[in-house]
Amino acid sequence: MMYEKLMKHVGEFGSCQKFIAVATCMGYYVIGLFLLYSVFILYTPPHQCSFGGANNFTSNGSILEIESNFDSSNENKTFSNSNLHCDDFVKKHDYNQPQERCRVTWKYNTEKGITSVATEFGLVCERAWMKPLIQSIQIGGVMAGSLLGGIISDRIGRRRTIIPVAIILVISDFLLVIMPSIYGIQTFIFFLGFASAILSTTYVVILHEYTPAHELMLLAFFQMSCCSFGYATMSLLQFLFPNWRHMTIATGVLASLMLLPTLFVSETVRWSLENQSTKKTFQLLKKIAEINKVDLSDTQVMTMLINAEETKRNESEKNERNSNYLKIQSKFTDTYLDLIKVPILRKRILALGFAWFAACLAYYAFGFNTDNLGISRYLGACLSALMEVPGDVISFFMVRRIGKVKTFVTVSLSSGILFLLTAGLQKVNVWAGAVSAMFGKLFSTIMYSLVLVSAAHFFPTSLRNQAFAVCYCIGRFGSLFSPFVVFLGENVFENFPFILMSVMVFAAAICFYLLPETSGRPLPSTMHDAVMLERYRLKFRCCKENKTRANVDEETRVMEI
């Protein structure tokens, strides 16, 4: 409560906080640009084998002509022998000479000037497996960034984390443009994922730590919507710049402009109170008061800090006399180990982590699969992104009405049912399947947004970014597997991605139900505050908020740790 008292004096939600909210939302727009970046640069246009010296092969003594029934007016049609491997082609026709492995290149439909990493480096046929590999490398960078970013941000501060990482993100994008080899592309795709993950987790934490509770949910969902608009913008950039290197340059320029406000974001007061000296916290509060046009003298600001320190000391002395508090704090070391050693935190990490895993699997598998919906790839990617905006709006009102837990369970079940319907409808009618899939994406977007905006609410300030990073990393395993899920759908069983997504989101609903309801409640500052959230878990037998547990003896709750 010390933070809330301080902010009431310097401006609870003044110009400073509003600027920071706008800066983090603009930063999240950039995250949206790179969210499914590999989908756009790895696009594989319709293609066919182009045999070097094909006229030297004969079938029954006559010159063999390679068929090409491709209709260039429709980008969704393919060549008659699309994806035909040389050896298969040789075996299909009865050649009168020994079957030798022919030299093969690929002819792509590039009449619209479309180029991609796949066309430039031939990531088709026996090299097709490299496409999901590169996508997974980006997700691997995201996982590494989420873990390392949590440690860095909690140790050196939010501001000193986001500024250098934003620079790394932009530089990696521009270096990607000049890479002449597939290995260089893989390297900088990794760094793009790495930097975007650190920015993503830190932007969320900054918004949560600077925004008052009554404004938080609205801004958190608006932040998610900005990410969706960034994703939708990539569809437009791909249409305007068919050459993937030109598109990459345009993306880097846009990202640079949108990240400029990040340079002026202040350190969060919550982090400063916990980790910096009184002098630095004084300077920060004075700066916020000036920006918010609150007339406070140096003496008033220092008096507030002294009072806050005294309040903190009194609370500490009171807590030291509280045996329950001591039992909790004695296990607390402010490291990742706390998330394993303390059972309540361990349970939350596992439940939230699996929910995030399922949400990421559904979100990314759908994003990587938009080219296979049977509609235009531009339309599919754009609709997939734009469906996230109403999803964020719906989730905001649902959370205000029934809370986060019930909202998550409802949308998870709805998403699972729609994905199952999609698997059946695709064979009946392409557009019916696409519509069902898009509504399934809408509900899975709400899942993804909810785990993202909820994760920070379950853990104390000193562990918040680390816990967020762990959950983020667990979730990214779902993202990591999603390219191969799509690959199996393209090569083994076309409905496999939608069936798997259904199963996973159903299981996620069960896991999220085990978490406490945190809507409308302040962020926990200490371990004691975080543990006491268990009072707000829902009952299984009637699905009503367990308000009566607020009066349960604390000793009982401590023993559950």
Side-chain angles (χ1 to χ4, degrees):
M1 296 300 175
M2 179 175 61
Y3 168 79
E4 286 77 9
K5 291 179 180 179
L6 284 172
M7 297 311 293
K8 285 181 180 178
H9 289 90
V10 300
E12 191 175 19
F13 194 61
S15 299
C16 180
Q17 290 90 334
K18 290 175 182 177
F19 171 79
I20 290 172
V22 171
T24 59
C25 289
M26 292 176 69
Y28 242 74
Y29 176 88
V30 175
I31 300 301
L33 293 177
F34 296 102
L35 187 66
L36 290 167
Y37 200 53
S38 55
V39 172
F40 300 99
I41 68 171
L42 289 170
Y43 169 67
T44 306
H47 57 280
Q48 73 170 12
C49 291
S50 177
F51 290 87
N55 289 341
N56 294 328
F57 289 95
T58 60
S59 178
N60 297 323
S62 60
I63 300 297
L64 174 67
E65 293 183 358
I66 302 176
E67 298 179 5
S68 179
N69 296 330
F70 179 74
D71 179 5
S72 61
S73 65
N74 185 349
E75 67 171 19
N76 293 318
K77 293 184 180 180
T78 59
F79 291 101
S80 59
N81 58 338
S82 176
N83 296 329
L84 183 63
H85 191 282
C86 291
D87 293 340
D88 296 330
F89 193 88
V90 171
K91 292 175 183 177
K92 181 178 178 181
H93 299 82
D94 185 20
Y95 293 115
N96 58 10
Q97 66 181 46
Q99 293 184 4
E100 298 178 356
R101 184 177 181 83
C102 60
R103 296 174 60 189
V104 63
T105 57
W106 294 92
K107 181 180 179 181
Y108 299 94
N109 171 35
T110 56
E111 292 184 6
K112 297 181 180 179
I114 298 172
T115 68
S116 68
V117 173
T119 63
E120 187 171 323
F121 295 97
L123 306 185
V124 293
C125 199
E126 69 272 11
R127 287 167 60 87
W129 61 272
M130 294 189 71
K131 180 177 175 180
L133 176 63
I134 293 174
Q135 292 171 332
S136 293
I137 286 174
Q138 182 185 3
I139 304 302
V142 171
M143 294 172 65
S146 62
L147 282 176
L148 186 59
I151 298 173
I152 294 174
S153 179
D154 280 341
R155 290 293 180 267
I156 70 172
R158 318 316 190 196
R159 172 179 166 80
R160 284 184 284 182
T161 298
I162 58 174
I163 292 178
V165 172
I167 295 172
I168 291 173
L169 180 74
V170 173
I171 291 176
S172 297
D173 181 75
F174 285 120
L175 288 176
L176 189 66
V177 178
I178 61 175
M179 283 298 107
S181 71
I182 193 67
Y183 302 108
I185 289 172
Q186 290 172 346
T187 299
F188 287 103
I189 277 286
F190 176 88
F191 280 111
L192 283 175
F194 179 81
S196 63
I198 296 178
L199 289 178
S200 177
T201 56
T202 310
Y203 279 136
V204 169
V205 171
I206 289 173
L207 185 69
H208 279 68
E209 293 189 343
Y210 255 121
T211 308
H214 60 276
E215 301 283 355
L216 181 57
M217 290 308 300
L218 176 61
L219 286 174
F221 284 118
F222 180 73
Q223 191 181 57
M224 296 299 102
S225 296
C226 289
C227 182
S228 303
F229 283 120
Y231 177 22
T233 302
M234 285 304 301
S235 300
L236 177 62
L237 291 178
Q238 187 181 41
F239 179 78
L240 295 175
F241 302 97
N243 184 301
W244 78 271
R245 293 187 186 271
H246 297 165
M247 183 190 71
T248 303
I249 294 173
T251 305
V253 171
L254 181 58
S256 301
L257 295 174
M258 297 299 287
L259 288 172
L260 283 177
T262 295
L263 301 176
F264 305 99
V265 171
S266 303
E267 185 56 76
T268 69
V269 178
R270 284 185 184 272
W271 186 87
S272 183
L273 285 169
E274 296 287 337
N275 299 277
Q276 290 187 314
S277 65
T278 302
K279 180 180 178 181
K280 290 186 177 180
T281 306
F282 165 80
Q283 293 171 347
L284 178 59
L285 288 171
K286 184 67 177 175
K287 178 182 177 182
I288 293 173
E290 290 175 356
I291 296 173
N292 289 343
K293 297 181 179 179
V294 176
D295 188 15
L296 286 176
S297 65
D298 292 357
T299 304
Q300 289 174 305
V301 176
M302 185 57 70
T303 301
M304 287 190 303
L305 272 177
I306 293 172
N307 291 338
E309 288 293 333
E310 185 177 348
T311 301
K312 183 178 179 181
R313 186 164 51 253
N314 292 337
E315 289 180 355
S316 178
E317 292 174 357
K318 179 181 177 181
N319 288 329
E320 286 177 1
R321 295 191 295 269
N322 186 333
S323 60
N324 297 332
Y325 180 88
L326 291 175
K327 288 179 182 179
I328 295 174
Q329 293 299 123
S330 64
K331 301 181 180 182
F332 190 44
T333 59
D334 290 349
T335 66
Y336 280 123
L337 292 177
D338 290 319
L339 304 176
I340 300 173
K341 293 192 302 182
V342 182
I344 281 181
L345 298 188
R346 184 170 64 241
K347 181 192 70 176
R348 291 179 190 173
I349 284 288
L350 292 175
L352 190 62
F354 184 83
W356 208 324
F357 174 89
C360 281
L361 179 68
Y363 184 91
Y364 279 87
F366 188 93
F368 291 138
N369 202 41
T370 51
D371 290 346
N372 302 318
L373 293 177
I375 59 177
S376 166
R377 69 190 182 97
Y378 300 113
L379 180 62
C382 187
L383 286 177
S384 175
L386 293 179
M387 288 298 285
E388 297 179 11
V389 178
D392 292 332
V393 174
I394 292 171
S395 58
F396 171 70
F397 287 105
M398 287 186 69
V399 167
R400 293 190 65 178
R401 182 71 177 176
I402 62 176
K404 296 174 187 173
V405 175
K406 292 180 182 178
T407 298
F408 188 92
V409 172
T410 301
V411 298
S412 298
L413 297 177
S414 301
S415 180
I417 292 170
L418 286 166
F419 283 144
L420 283 178
L421 285 174
T422 301
L425 288 174
Q426 276 192 317
K427 294 184 178 181
V428 178
N429 184 284
V430 170
W431 279 103
V435 170
S436 176
M438 287 299 171
F439 278 101
K441 168 63 186 296
L442 184 148
F443 290 119
S444 66
T445 296
I446 299 176
M447 291 176 56
Y448 186 82
S449 298
L450 279 175
V451 293
L452 198 58
V453 302
S454 299
H457 284 258
F458 299 113
F459 307 98
T461 300
S462 56
L463 269 180
R464 186 168 295 121
N465 219 50
Q466 295 179 64
F468 188 92
V470 170
C471 294
Y472 196 95
C473 182
I474 294 173
R476 292 305 164 180
F477 276 103
S479 309
L480 187 69
F481 297 148
S482 58
F484 296 98
V485 171
V486 175
F487 185 75
L488 289 173
E490 292 174 342
N491 295 276
V492 180
F493 178 47
E494 63 177 334
N495 288 326
F496 176 73
F498 291 108
I499 294 174
L500 180 63
M501 286 189 286
S502 297
V503 173
M504 298 304 294
V505 297
F506 285 145
I510 298 173
C511 289
F512 205 85
Y513 192 84
L514 300 175
L515 297 170
E517 180 58 67
T518 60
S519 297
R521 296 182 177 87
L523 290 173
S525 297
T526 65
M527 174 67 89
H528 184 267
D529 295 338
V531 170
M532 289 303 109
L533 287 176
E534 288 296 298
R535 297 175 294 178
Y536 303 107
R537 280 205 301 131
L538 302 183
K539 291 182 180 179
F540 277 95
R541 64 176 181 273
C542 61
C543 294
K544 292 183 179 180
E545 187 176 352
N546 194 1
K547 296 180 181 178
T548 58
R549 299 187 76 173
N551 298 320
V552 174
D553 181 41
E554 288 189 4
E555 180 67 27
T556 304
R557 301 304 312 134
V558 171
M559 294 307 293
E560 292 184 12
I561 300 179

